[in-house]
Amino acid sequence: MAKHSYPESVDFHAVGVSSDSEQNPFRIVQRQVDEAAALLHLDPGLHELLRWPLREIHVTLPVRMDDGSTRVFHGFRVQHNDARGPCKGGIRFHPEETIDDVRALAAWMTWKCALVDIPLGGGKGGIICDPRNLSQRELERLARAYIRQIGHHIGLVKDVPAPDVNTNAQIMAWMVDEFAFMHGYNEFGVITGKPIALGGSLGREDATGRGVMITVREAAKKIGLDLKGARMVVQGYGNVGSWAAVLLQDLGCKLVGVADESGAWSNPNGIDAWALKEYAKEHRIIKGFPGLGEPVPPERFLELPCEVLVPAALHNQIFKENAPRIRPRILAEGANGPTVPEADPILFQNGVYVLPDFLCNAGGVTVSYFEMVQNAYNFYWDLKTVHEHLEQKMVTAFEAVHEMAQKYKVHNRLAAYLVAISRVAEAMRVRGWA
Ligand code: NAD
């Protein structure tokens, strides 16, 4: 019989609890909703509904470890709003996951889907775990345990998860498989970000970076910036950063600064973005690539002179103190939440054209939606078709935000909230929710 090793006793009231600080992301979301609701003169009932998730599921997951013991994990699935369609949003595996992080990310998915005008709401999931300490078999059992717990609350017309931090196409494949076992039929569209062999879409890998490139290109047209020779600085050279860099280089931008977890560098002569992408794929980090140039202190990296700045790594990078020194013509937020709210007015005043995260990085969820459509039809598009539809969605969303910013004379992030929140509020109103 397997030896039972119980974890240190768990305080259930403390599992995944967030701090009440001003930087608590869920409090930030609520403040952003309040600001937009006031400008839109939103009905108080609709406003209150938008401030909270409609549903939250907290799950406890027993997982048999390779040594025969059982470990108990905790997880969540938050469904923020489904007025415009089934919830959509990733599943994160992270040791410091909190319910408030997941709530905030679920709300941001609601706005993101509304902004690119796809018929979906917002959701997000998370499991408190450190995947680096789990074997592949243990990861598989954890993924399947999660689906056994939430499997009756998700589905093509309810809530559609996807990969996020520390989860990937393989984990999605195990989840789809477990869902099929539970229900007795295949429903590939229940989860997106799957391997191509299991109903994944072509064009998903570069979709977020491609969306960054499209929105930068449109912004450059609006402000009269010629991208040929424009200096670009990219923080984070993973999926989003590296694809954004190579696609923008193809439009003529010159990569003059790049950073990842291994350090930060600047090279005014330009760094070959494609060659660096190959190097990063092989070595997992950019350190050691010939031609990176001079090292830069990471805390000053975002202040490098450039026309296009792409933060594509972490949240809370641009704040009140460093915002006055960050002066690109275009700030393209590939990452989620790189700018704290207090920095927005400073960037606006300094004439920085900000492409807010839930516009700039919406290419990923847009192609995830295309994946759902293809699964539903059981008919698969070629890459050209995926690119054409993505182009149309991103350009239309960009124009809606630009126009709203002009109309209300506000910064682009608030404009994006105004577009998204008014669409979600209208769906709730016609459904008779308030
Ligand atoms: P990734 O794991 O592929 O890459 C992350 C990159 O950030 C790596 O190059 C890593 O070295 C770098 N990094 C980590 N710590 C750093 C530090 N302290 N300083 C500088 N660089 C650091 O992740 P990704 O998928 O590219 O996601 C990046 C961001 O984009 C995240 O905020 C994510 O939520 C957001 N995002 C991703 C997608 C997507 O489709 N992948 C979609 C929307 C938003």
Side-chain angles (χ1 to χ4, degrees):
M1 185 153 157
K3 180 173 75 66
H4 286 282
S5 86
Y6 291 100
E8 331 61 86
S9 94
V10 171
D11 174 358
F12 283 94
H13 298 288
V15 169
V17 167
S18 282
S19 78
D20 260 341
S21 85
E22 286 297 292
Q23 295 312 323
N24 174 327
F26 186 54
R27 300 277 172 264
I28 292 176
V29 166
Q30 291 190 318
R31 290 208 302 274
Q32 287 164 332
V33 171
D34 296 345
E35 195 179 358
L39 269 172
L40 291 167
H41 304 291
L42 212 60
D43 170 273
L46 293 177
H47 175 187
E48 183 62 8
L49 265 171
L50 287 170
R51 299 182 88 239
W52 297 98
L54 288 177
R55 279 176 293 279
E56 292 181 0
I57 303 154
H58 294 233
V59 293
T60 304
L61 310 168
V63 175
R64 184 60 50 87
M65 306 303 280
D66 290 346
D67 67 2
S69 66
T70 295
R71 251 184 83 186
V72 177
F73 294 85
H74 298 276
F76 319 101
R77 183 73 191 169
V78 173
Q79 296 170 345
H80 174 260
N81 192 291
D82 58 9
R84 287 173 45 87
C87 296
K88 182 91 194 79
I91 298 169
R92 303 154 67 101
F93 285 5
H94 201 278
E96 277 139 38
E97 196 62 274
T98 71
I99 184 65
D100 277 347
D101 283 346
V102 181
R103 285 173 176 153
L105 290 159
W108 279 319
M109 287 305 297
T110 303
W111 320 139
K112 200 182 283 194
C113 293
L115 193 60
V116 280
D117 203 12
I118 54 182
L120 299 170
K124 205 80 179 188
I127 299 178
I128 306 172
C129 69
D130 189 344
R132 287 171 307 184
N133 299 335
L134 298 173
S135 70
Q136 280 297 101
R137 292 297 107 201
E138 288 166 344
L139 261 184
E140 176 176 352
R141 286 183 217 117
L142 179 63
R144 289 182 184 276
Y146 183 66
I147 291 301
R148 283 196 298 278
Q149 288 285 20
I150 67 160
H152 291 292
H153 305 283
I154 60 171
L156 196 51
V157 291
K158 285 185 185 173
D159 181 4
V160 181
D164 202 90
V165 174
N166 290 332
T167 54
N168 55 29
Q170 175 59 71
I171 292 176
M172 298 306 112
W174 290 326
M175 289 183 170
V176 166
D177 187 63
E178 191 65 28
F179 187 91
F181 271 121
M182 278 179 81
H183 291 83
Y185 53 83
N186 276 328
E187 189 175 276
F188 288 170
V190 64
I191 288 175
T192 61
K194 303 178 294 290
I196 301 288
L198 205 64
S201 177
L202 295 176
R204 177 62 186 86
E205 194 203 326
D206 68 350
T208 306
R210 187 169 292 275
V212 173
M213 176 274 285
I214 294 168
T215 51
V216 168
R217 189 194 65 207
E218 295 305 303
K221 283 187 211 160
K222 293 286 184 210
I223 64 169
L225 170 69
D226 186 357
L227 288 180
K228 295 231 164 22
R231 292 166 303 172
M232 129 177 102
V233 168
V234 178
Q235 183 192 43
Y237 218 70
N239 175 277
V240 180
S242 67
W243 276 110
V246 297
L247 294 172
L248 283 165
Q249 180 176 280
D250 288 352
L251 292 185
C253 291
K254 184 160 80 160
L255 183 62
V256 296
V258 65
D260 77 350
E261 66 200 80
S262 67
W265 290 267
S266 138
N267 184 347
N269 297 324
I271 301 159
D272 181 341
W274 277 105
L276 181 59
K277 188 173 184 325
E278 282 306 305
Y279 183 92
K281 197 171 160 191
E282 192 185 332
H283 296 86
R284 320 286 306 163
I285 51 169
I286 59 173
K287 190 175 182 173
F289 177 75
L292 277 178
E294 294 302 312
V296 179
E299 66 280 7
R300 304 305 296 263
F301 175 73
L302 296 177
E303 299 165 25
L304 286 174
C306 64
E307 281 72 47
V308 179
L309 174 61
V310 185
L314 307 165
H315 62 288
N316 293 355
Q317 294 299 290
I318 302 175
F319 35 85
K320 206 167 142 192
E321 290 71 21
N322 66 359
R325 297 189 298 275
I326 296 178
R327 303 268 186 130
R329 299 283 306 280
I330 297 172
L331 171 63
E333 296 183 345
N336 282 318
T339 307
V340 309
E342 292 71 24
D344 274 322
I346 302 170
L347 297 166
F348 186 49
Q349 213 167 19
N350 288 341
V352 177
Y353 194 99
V354 175
L355 291 164
D357 47 7
F358 65 104
L359 167 65
C360 189
N361 69 31
V365 73
T366 304
V367 174
S368 283
Y369 161 63
F370 298 160
E371 183 176 331
M372 287 172 67
V373 171
Q374 294 168 75
N375 293 153
Y377 268 89
N378 208 6
F379 178 79
Y380 290 84
W381 303 350
D382 59 16
L383 194 56
K384 184 167 163 280
T385 308
V386 173
H387 287 172
E388 282 168 2
H389 284 288
L390 177 62
E391 170 81 22
Q392 187 268 330
K393 281 286 178 203
M394 295 302 299
V395 172
T396 309
F398 170 85
E399 286 294 341
V401 172
H402 185 80
E403 264 174 44
M404 189 64 97
Q406 306 289 308
K407 182 174 163 195
Y408 282 88
K409 303 204 175 355
V410 293
H411 57 73
N412 285 342
R413 190 180 323 278
L414 185 50
Y417 271 103
L418 295 176
V419 174
I421 286 182
S422 51
R423 286 179 183 165
V424 181
E426 178 59 8
M428 295 198 301
R429 193 187 62 75
V430 294
R431 289 179 73 143
W433 288 6

